[in-house]
Amino acid sequence: MKKKFSLIAMAGAALLLLTACGTTAVTSSSTNLWDQIVYGFAQVIRFLSFGGLTGVGIILFTIVIRAALLPLMNIQIKSSQRMQEIQPEIKKIQAKYPSKDMESRRLMNEEIQKLYAKNKVNPYMGCLPLVVQMPVLWALYQALSRVDFLKHGTFLWFEIGAKDPTFILPILAAVFTFLSSYLMMKSAPERNAMTTSMTYIMPIFILIMGVNFAAGIALYWVISNAFQVFQTMLLANPYKIIAAREAKVQVEKDKIKAREKALKKARKK
């Protein structure tokens, strides 16, 4: 868990560095590398804005980004599932080394790393999609705030470059963020306090950010997290996972009953 937080912190630091790249207008003549990336994003959105509707461009752009990340997300989901499945074994290893001295910590970490290798689990995979998406999100934010032909676009009831006056987009973004996190948590065989708290904290964080950021960013979050809900139901449906786990437990119970029944018959003879 600490390693995951380290990755998130590193991604946050990268965002802060990108923030310092400038707030002036970005045009086709901008020479800064980051500005060129931002302008490239803006051009892609404009190309996808059929009928001149920037909102349509953002929606299609988000779907393209999420579709491109789908293989990575699939790997991340499978890795997370394996991580969930080995949690009981990790707890046994941690109970085996209750002491806090350096040698015990080293031995415990070695056993956990062997367990990861045996089950083909990479603890960093849970954060990799987030790290990849952060620069994309910030480039989109800067495209909406620094590229003139995107700043003044309109879609449905809101200005793309202004805050959503109705708060509908921030609320939808928060709802889909909660649903995506809840569905991932639901399939876990065991729940810890950190996972549970993040399931409820992240939607609040997204709601606050959505209220204060441009409506175009909130629209991106709505579509991105709605796509993730669809993706989770498609690739890691928690209800199917729970049903499969319960069926496996039932098979084991049936085997034990059959064995006990056979022993009783043997004793009678």
Side-chain angles (χ1 to χ4, degrees):
M1 186 62 70
K2 288 182 180 178
K3 291 179 180 178
K4 289 185 178 183
F5 281 126
S6 296
L7 278 176
I8 294 173
M10 288 171 61
L15 276 182
L16 289 175
L17 288 173
L18 292 177
T19 307
C21 289
T23 56
T24 56
V26 173
T27 66
S28 57
S29 59
S30 297
T31 56
N32 181 282
L33 177 60
W34 176 249
D35 288 351
Q36 290 177 1
I37 293 172
V38 169
Y39 192 76
F41 272 49
Q43 288 285 61
V44 172
I45 293 172
R46 181 159 69 172
F47 174 77
L48 295 172
S49 299
F50 296 103
L53 297 173
T54 306
V56 173
I58 293 173
I59 291 170
L60 294 177
F61 174 81
T62 307
I63 293 172
V64 168
I65 292 295
R66 295 296 305 200
L69 290 174
L70 197 56
L72 182 62
M73 294 297 296
N74 189 27
I75 294 171
Q76 181 261 328
I77 287 171
K78 289 180 179 178
S79 180
S80 295
Q81 287 176 339
R82 287 194 292 266
M83 191 76 174
Q84 291 170 1
E85 295 297 335
I86 66 172
Q87 281 304 306
E89 294 180 60
I90 290 176
K91 287 185 176 181
K92 287 179 183 178
I93 294 173
Q94 291 171 337
K96 184 179 174 182
Y97 299 99
S99 178
K100 301 294 182 181
D101 62 273
M102 293 294 292
E103 182 62 16
S104 295
R105 298 292 93 185
R106 183 184 67 80
L107 292 172
M108 182 185 73
N109 289 331
E110 283 182 1
E111 284 202 36
I112 290 176
Q113 290 302 320
K114 287 178 182 177
L115 182 65
Y116 286 158
K118 179 183 176 182
N119 291 275
K120 298 179 180 180
V121 171
N122 186 339
Y124 290 101
M125 284 305 299
C127 289
L128 190 55
L130 174 64
V131 172
V132 172
Q133 284 185 80
M134 274 188 163
V136 174
L137 178 61
W138 192 251
L140 175 61
Y141 171 75
Q142 294 224 324
L144 291 172
S145 60
R146 299 177 63 196
V147 180
D148 191 64
F149 62 77
L150 288 187
K151 274 198 304 185
H152 306 295
T154 58
F155 183 64
L156 298 178
W157 67 90
F158 55 87
E159 289 280 341
I160 293 294
K163 299 173 185 177
D164 180 3
T166 64
F167 306 120
I168 291 174
L169 289 176
I171 291 171
L172 286 176
V175 168
F176 282 119
T177 298
F178 171 77
L179 285 175
S180 64
S181 299
Y182 174 77
L183 289 172
M184 288 298 294
M185 181 182 70
K186 188 173 179 64
S187 62
E190 293 184 10
R191 299 178 187 179
N192 56 54
M194 180 61 71
T195 303
T196 303
S197 61
M198 288 303 292
T199 300
Y200 295 97
I201 291 172
M202 278 305 295
I204 296 172
F205 174 76
I206 291 294
L207 176 62
I208 294 171
M209 297 294 283
V211 167
N212 290 283
F213 276 31
I217 295 294
L219 178 61
Y220 171 86
W221 274 327
V222 171
I223 303 304
S224 181
N225 287 310
F227 189 98
Q228 187 159 326
V229 170
F230 166 76
Q231 171 188 279
T232 301
M233 294 301 292
L234 180 67
L235 300 177
N237 189 313
Y239 301 101
K240 290 182 179 180
I241 292 172
I242 292 169
R245 189 181 296 136
E246 289 176 347
K248 185 177 179 180
V249 171
Q250 188 60 48
V251 168
E252 291 299 319
K253 287 181 178 179
D254 291 342
K255 285 182 180 179
I256 292 171
K257 286 182 180 179
R259 195 179 300 121
E260 290 175 348
K261 190 175 181 181
L263 285 172
K264 285 180 180 179
K265 286 184 177 180
R267 289 194 192 103
K268 287 180 180 180
K269 291 180 180 180

